[in-house]
Amino acid sequence: MNTAQFIPKILLEKIEKASFTWQTPSNIALVKYWGKSNPQIPKNASISFTLKNCHTITTIDFSKKETTETAVFELFFEGKEKEEFKPKIAAFFKRVQEYCPYILEYKMSINSENSFPHSSGIASSASGLSAIAMCLMSLEQKLNPNLTQEFIHKKASFLARLGSGSASRSIEGPLVVWGAHPEIAGSSDIFGVQFPYKVHSVFENYQDAILLVDKGEKQVSSTVGHNLMHAHPFAENRFKQANENLSKMSKILQEGDCKAFINLVESEALTLHAMMLTSNPYFILMKPNTLEIIHKIWEFRATQNSNICFTLDAGANVHVLYPQSEQDTVNPFIENVLADYCQKKQYIYDSVGLGAKKL
Ligand code: PMV
C-alpha cells in the first residue's frame, strides 16, 4: 500500500489566507462494506451509487498562524458553533496531519450545512468528511499548483476514508468502488475509484427515493458495528461473498441486467442487517415500518412488473431504487402508499450524481 505518495514533498507557494467551498454528496452502497481493520482498511471491496441531492456544503477559511502540534479549528454547523461535533473532526485532523502537515500552520474556520434534514437518519459522515477533504486538497493545490486533477481526487478520497470509510466513495460518481478487487482495474483499499467500465444505459440517472422511517439517533454506531465483525462467526464467509458479489455486480452493471441487479442489491441489504442480527451483542436497526415497506415493494414489483427494489444502510430508512423510465408509476406509489410508513410522511427524491463540486 503506497501511502507515501500522499505525503507532500515540496510546497511551492506561500499563502496567508484562503477560503474554499465544496459541495460533496452522500452515497448508497450496492455491495456493502461492513468490517474493517486499522487504519480504515475494508475487509471487502464495495461499490456505491453517488447521490445528487443529499449533500453537504462546507466552507473552510484558512488563516496563517504559528505552527502548532495539533490542528486548530472552529466548527459551525448550520450557522451555530457545534462543540459536540468537534472531537470527531479533531480525530480526523490528527489522522491526516501526516499527509497534510500544512494544516498545522493555519487556523481553520469550518462552516457546514446539509441539504437533508439534520438527524434524518441519513448518514452525514460520508458527505461531511469528503467536503472537508476537498477543502484541504484545494489548499494543497494552492500551495502546490502542479498537482493533477487525478491526484487531487485520489488523495481527497484517501483522506476522506481516514475519517469515515464510506466517505472515500463520495468524491466522484456515478459509481465508485472502494477496496482492492482483482476484477476492478485500479481499485485500492486506501481510496475509492470510479467504476472503470462502461455502464449500461438503464442505470443512467437511476432514481433513489429515501424513505425516512426513523429519524432518531442510531442505537448502535457503525464504528461499533464494524468492530463486532472481528469476532463474528460468519465474518470470513461474508467478506468472501461480498467480493464475489462485486464481480457479479460489475457484470450486471455493464450488461444492464435489471432482474439480477434487484436480486443482488436486496440480498446485500438483508445480508448487512443479518450480520447485525447475528453479532454478539446482537442488535436490530430495522423498524417495523422498514419491513412493511419492503413487503409493499415486493407486492408492487410482482403486480406491476416493475424493476423497483430496495436497499438499506446502517439504519431503518429505506432507499427505493428504480430506473428513471419508471418514475411515472413508482413516484405515485411512493407518495400514495409508502409515505404512510415514514415519520411525518417524509421522503427525499434523489438520483445518481457525479460527485464533488467546487462552489
Ligand atoms: O463509513 P462507515 O464507517 O459509516 O460505514 C458505513 C457502512 C454502510 O453504510 C452500512 C455500508 C456502506 O458500504 O456504505
Side-chain angles (χ1 to χ4, degrees):
M1 251 175 301
N2 177 10
T3 53
Q5 62 178 311
F6 297 122
I7 299 176
K9 283 162 202 77
I10 35 157
L11 297 170
L12 301 170
E13 304 294 330
K14 299 258 170 294
I15 309 286
E16 282 300 318
K17 267 185 185 303
S19 178
F20 307 99
T21 302
W22 279 91
Q23 173 182 313
T24 60
S26 185
N27 68 73
I28 181 68
L30 304 172
V31 173
K32 309 288 183 182
Y33 144 66
W34 198 243
K36 62 180 172 182
S37 53
N38 261 336
Q40 303 270 84
I41 301 299
K43 290 284 192 181
N44 61 262
S46 57
I47 185 167
S48 51
F49 271 145
T50 303
L51 297 181
K52 192 187 274 168
N53 300 334
C54 288
H55 60 244
T56 297
I57 295 177
T58 295
T59 300
I60 306 189
D61 297 313
F62 296 91
S63 44
K64 191 98 174 165
K65 62 161 182 61
E66 292 291 303
T67 307
T68 40
E69 272 182 25
T70 51
V72 174
F73 68 97
E74 50 185 15
L75 181 64
F76 298 88
F77 181 72
E78 286 165 0
K80 293 199 190 81
E81 192 143 24
K82 279 282 179 193
E83 284 303 317
E84 63 269 37
F85 292 178
K86 277 180 106 176
K88 189 163 182 183
I89 304 302
F92 169 70
F93 284 137
K94 184 130 202 76
R95 278 189 173 190
V96 302
Q97 75 186 41
E98 182 185 356
Y99 307 103
C100 307
Y102 47 81
I103 61 175
L104 303 178
E105 296 172 21
Y106 290 88
K107 176 173 184 287
M108 295 176 278
S109 178
I110 308 171
N111 271 279
S112 209
E113 61 187 50
N114 293 336
S115 65
F116 42 91
H118 182 50
S119 42
S120 55
I122 297 177
S124 57
S125 61
S127 53
L129 286 155
S130 54
I132 296 178
M134 285 309 300
C135 291
L136 298 187
M137 287 314 296
S138 284
L139 176 63
E140 185 167 326
Q141 188 183 26
K142 244 192 154 166
L143 294 166
N144 185 359
N146 299 330
L147 301 183
T148 64
Q149 206 51 36
E150 190 195 344
F151 177 82
I152 289 168
H153 280 162
K154 211 191 230 191
K155 180 164 172 184
S157 172
F158 169 83
L159 296 175
R161 179 198 114 246
L162 291 170
S164 158
S166 58
S168 67
R169 300 188 312 241
S170 273
I171 302 292
E172 294 181 282
L175 281 155
V176 177
V177 173
W178 169 46
H181 190 284
E183 289 171 34
I184 307 290
S187 59
S188 167
D189 280 346
I190 60 171
F191 49 80
V193 296
Q194 235 170 348
F195 181 67
Y197 310 114
K198 190 167 164 38
V199 175
H200 192 278
S201 58
V202 71
F203 295 115
E204 260 169 39
N205 222 353
Y206 223 68
Q207 305 294 300
D208 178 7
I210 307 164
L211 308 183
L212 305 181
V213 172
D214 183 44
K215 305 196 294 165
E217 194 62 17
K218 270 191 278 184
Q219 295 99 327
V220 181
S221 71
S222 58
T223 310
V224 171
H226 286 292
N227 276 337
L228 288 171
M229 288 303 280
H230 288 303
H232 198 292
F234 307 144
E236 286 313 314
N237 278 338
R238 162 59 196 155
F239 304 143
K240 185 165 169 279
Q241 177 202 43
N243 283 325
E244 287 164 7
N245 280 349
L246 184 49
S247 300
K248 289 183 191 161
M249 184 55 83
S250 172
K251 200 161 163 274
I252 289 168
L253 291 168
Q254 293 175 69
E255 291 177 356
D257 185 343
C258 280
K259 297 290 173 234
F261 179 83
I262 291 168
N263 181 271
L264 194 54
V265 166
E266 292 191 344
S267 167
E268 273 290 316
L270 294 178
T271 302
L272 169 70
H273 284 257
M275 291 299 109
M276 300 170 188
L277 297 174
T278 49
S279 292
N280 199 357
Y282 42 81
F283 59 104
I284 305 177
L285 296 183
M286 292 182 287
K287 296 283 180 191
N289 279 350
T290 310
L291 296 181
E292 293 285 357
I293 289 168
I294 290 174
H295 285 287
K296 290 283 172 201
I297 288 174
W298 284 344
E299 199 181 294
F300 182 84
R301 188 161 74 221
T303 56
Q304 306 293 313
N305 193 24
S306 164
N307 286 307
I308 188 175
C309 72
F310 72 85
T311 188
L312 307 167
D313 58 16
N317 293 339
V318 181
H319 287 249
V320 185
L321 301 177
Y322 49 104
Q324 189 179 27
S325 60
E326 291 192 27
Q327 263 179 333
D328 290 350
T329 49
V330 174
N331 290 10
F333 168 59
I334 290 169
E335 286 151 32
N336 300 329
V337 179
L338 299 184
D340 284 345
Y341 300 94
C342 300
Q343 263 192 21
K344 296 194 190 144
K345 296 198 172 214
Q346 279 186 305
Y347 54 87
I348 297 170
Y349 281 129
D350 210 334
S351 59
V352 168
L354 295 178
K357 258 202 253 173
K358 193 164 191 221
L359 299 184

